[in-house]
Amino acid sequence: MAFRLTPHERGFYPLFTRAAETIVAAADDLAELVAAEPSGRPALAQRVKDAEHAGDTVTHEIMVKLNSTFVTPFDREDIYRLASSLDDVLDFIEEAADRIVLYRLGTLPGGVAEQVEVLRRAAAATADAMPRLEKMAELQEYWIHVNSLEDEADTVYRRLLGDLLAPPDGAPPADVLTVLKVKEVVETLEEAADAFETVANTVESIAVKEA
Amino acid sequence: MAFRLTPHERGFYPLFTRAAETIVAAADDLAELVAAEPSGRPALAQRVKDAEHAGDTVTHEIMVKLNSTFVTPFDREDIYRLASSLDDVLDFIEEAADRIVLYRLGTLPGGVAEQVEVLRRAAAATADAMPRLEKMAELQEYWIHVNSLEDEADTVYRRLLGDLLAPPDGAPPADVLTVLKVKEVVETLEEAADAFETVANTVESIAVKEA
Amino acid sequence: MAFRLTPHERGFYPLFTRAAETIVAAADDLAELVAAEPSGRPALAQRVKDAEHAGDTVTHEIMVKLNSTFVTPFDREDIYRLASSLDDVLDFIEEAADRIVLYRLGTLPGGVAEQVEVLRRAAAATADAMPRLEKMAELQEYWIHVNSLEDEADTVYRRLLGDLLAPPDGAPPADVLTVLKVKEVVETLEEAADAFETVANTVESIAVKEA
């Protein structure tokens, strides 16, 4: 009786890479949006939304492949979690862009651009790491890097909220409704940074199991 | 030596169904509460709280059965997660009802009733799906449906927050404390919608493993 | 051929105990900070931050040991989750301390001290339970206790938010920016209480699997 070893289904790796590349594009558009005049923002928010839809398509392809593949390269559940956590990042980026437009915000505090810059670096690190999943190569560098980016994001986030809620002495009194709006945006961006960390933690726990 | 195959313990399925039916009842009461005069709300909030307690009892029964059952119909951990996520839905519904009463809110924006209506439909879909867990039948329809309801809830939620924080031109200026209160309620309802999606995702991941 | 049974690596237990003891220390410092004059708070916040760094070191030691240990006392993934959830508790306690200082808050509502008192009791219960993980002894008492502490924390939290957003009749009108600041602190403390419950739920799910 012939015995055939089913090879690992490798088609998952390019899909994870595509998901991460979509995040890179969305983060770039978000950076542009934050720097843009309010009148130019709706068009950029639409581009972020388009990226999010493209990401949904990739997530769906991963799920369909998962349902039709017998031998997966790592635990089915982990494939599921990795796809979901990449999807979450994109959702938060899209939500931040949408809120800036929906709340008709004007010039944003400088810290917001800093938050988005950290997201862009986390996106680049993630897109860089996905192709290395197949060989489980240099993944530790990746998750350590993303964890330290999350620390950086957290520092920016706390300072921003502090300046918003307890403006430095001498600063003009804040309009509370504007404080509320900016706070929502700032918190959504922090959620995006946390979501990148969840992606990294998922990769770490996959690597721990394979060890 | 006789070898006896222990049959799957099937008692879990009716318990999941009961948990979902309790959610249906709570969502119905919440819809009534939202439409009611403020003076009639405390009694309805108490009914939601009673439903939540009934739900806690079911969750407890599931956990006790889990501890005393040797062969479970699917992974112990998944039973645990499904029970917990159903419990979470009920907690958010109860929390929303409690907040409306506690913050002594008057007439709520129309979008709040829309949010609750989506929750009722998600509750009905969930109660419908639970009895099909045993045969793993037509579960994909269920989770696709709940995911699309979550999208709908998200649209209502964003528009509501937008109107709240950046009222349309010509609208009377908002009282910021009222904005804060309504925002808390609206966010709790959105968490309930997300929690329904977590239930659906848990069912999906169970089905993916069994595939 | 000699066959050697690799003994379970027991070094994990003292590390979990140390992590929990660090939480006890941080919660004590936080209680002092809440009761202190604003001028004395920065020094206490620094002590909480130091405890958080000590906790990070323990978490790191657990992860390193996980990567170099072949036979773990329970699922690798559960060790990972338990370490992460203990780490989360400490993060929220540190964040609460930081916010009180950063927002330059004065005297806090009495309910905040009550919240911290519940956290101290949850910390003590957790530190008490960790050494019993090895024998899986009396863990059920622990998680039932922490779940009931979380209920208590939730009651305090809701009443606090209610008083903040809908002050009792006759109370002086609230300064909305102060309401926002206190709300952030109160919510972070509630997240710490929830995080203790996640630790307890993780222990419960480990015990359920071992049953």
Side-chain angles (χ1 to χ4, degrees), chain A residues 49 52 56 60 63-64 66-70 76-77 80-81 84 91 94-96 98-99 102-104 175-178 180-181 183-184 187, chain B residues 75 77-78 81 140 143 154 157-159 161-169 174 176 179-180 183 187 200-202 204-205 207-209 211:
Chain A
K49 207 178 282 287
E52 196 235 319
D56 282 348
H60 184 69
M63 298 308 181
V64 167
L66 194 54
N67 279 312
S68 62
T69 304
F70 187 62
R76 312 184 81 78
E77 214 181 337
Y80 183 88
R81 280 169 56 206
S84 304
D91 283 350
E94 188 277 324
E95 192 179 335
D98 188 55
R99 288 183 160 198
L102 191 64
Y103 303 162
R104 296 185 264 159
D175 164 60
V176 187
L177 211 54
T178 304
L180 264 185
K181 291 178 204 175
K183 185 168 160 288
E184 291 299 307
E187 284 174 348
Chain B
D75 272 7
E77 215 180 336
D78 288 324
R81 280 169 58 206
Q140 191 168 8
W143 74 65
D154 199 51
Y157 164 72
R158 288 183 183 202
R159 207 190 53 232
L161 268 196
D163 288 348
L164 215 57
L165 294 175
D169 295 323
V176 188
V179 169
L180 265 184
K183 184 167 160 287
E187 284 173 348
N201 289 348
T202 305
E204 182 176 7
S205 82
V208 162
K209 277 198 230 169

Side-chain angles (χ1 to χ4, degrees), chain B residues 7-178:
Chain B
H8 277 184
E9 166 60 67
R10 299 161 128 196
F12 287 103
Y13 300 112
L15 288 171
F16 285 127
T17 300
R18 254 176 62 205
E21 285 167 353
T22 312
I23 294 174
V24 169
D28 288 349
D29 289 334
L30 179 62
E32 246 188 89
L33 184 155
V34 164
E37 289 297 310
S39 63
R41 287 176 179 164
L44 289 158
Q46 185 57 50
R47 264 163 56 183
V48 177
K49 206 178 282 289
D50 291 344
E52 196 236 320
H53 286 152
D56 282 348
T57 304
V58 179
T59 308
H60 183 69
E61 282 178 50
I62 294 173
M63 298 309 180
V64 167
K65 187 178 279 293
L66 193 55
N67 279 311
S68 61
T69 304
F70 188 61
V71 182
T72 51
F74 37 87
D75 272 7
R76 312 184 80 75
E77 215 180 336
D78 288 324
I79 291 178
Y80 184 88
R81 280 169 58 206
L82 183 54
S84 303
S85 60
L86 287 163
D87 196 58
D88 286 345
V89 170
L90 209 43
D91 283 350
F92 287 121
I93 289 177
E94 187 277 324
E95 194 178 334
D98 188 55
R99 288 184 159 197
I100 293 170
V101 170
L102 192 63
Y103 302 162
R104 295 186 265 160
L105 284 161
T107 305
L108 295 155
V112 171
E114 284 179 60
Q115 284 188 294
V116 175
E117 193 48 42
V118 178
L119 294 183
R120 288 180 70 195
R121 283 153 63 202
T126 307
D128 225 54
M130 290 300 113
R132 299 200 304 268
L133 269 180
E134 184 162 5
K135 305 243 160 95
M136 290 280 156
E138 293 161 71
L139 292 174
Q140 191 168 8
E141 285 81 343
Y142 150 68
W143 74 65
I144 289 174
H145 183 41
V146 170
N147 274 285
S148 94
L149 286 173
E150 208 284 320
D151 279 350
E152 198 177 319
D154 199 51
T155 304
V156 176
Y157 164 72
R158 288 183 183 202
R159 207 190 53 232
L160 252 169
L161 268 196
D163 288 348
L164 215 57
L165 294 175
D169 295 323
D175 164 61
V176 188
L177 212 55
T178 304

Side-chain angles (χ1 to χ4, degrees), chain A residues 157-158 165-167 183 208, chain C residues 94 98-99 104 181 184:
Chain A
Y157 165 71
R158 288 183 184 202
L165 294 176
K183 185 168 160 288
V208 162
Chain C
E94 189 277 323
D98 189 55
R99 289 184 159 197
R104 295 186 266 159
K181 291 179 206 176
E184 291 298 306

Side-chain angles (χ1 to χ4, degrees), chain A residues 18 27 57 83 105 132 147-148 153 161 166 180 189 200:
Chain A
R18 253 175 65 206
T57 305
L105 283 161
R132 300 201 304 269
N147 274 284
S148 92
L161 268 196
L180 264 185
L189 293 171

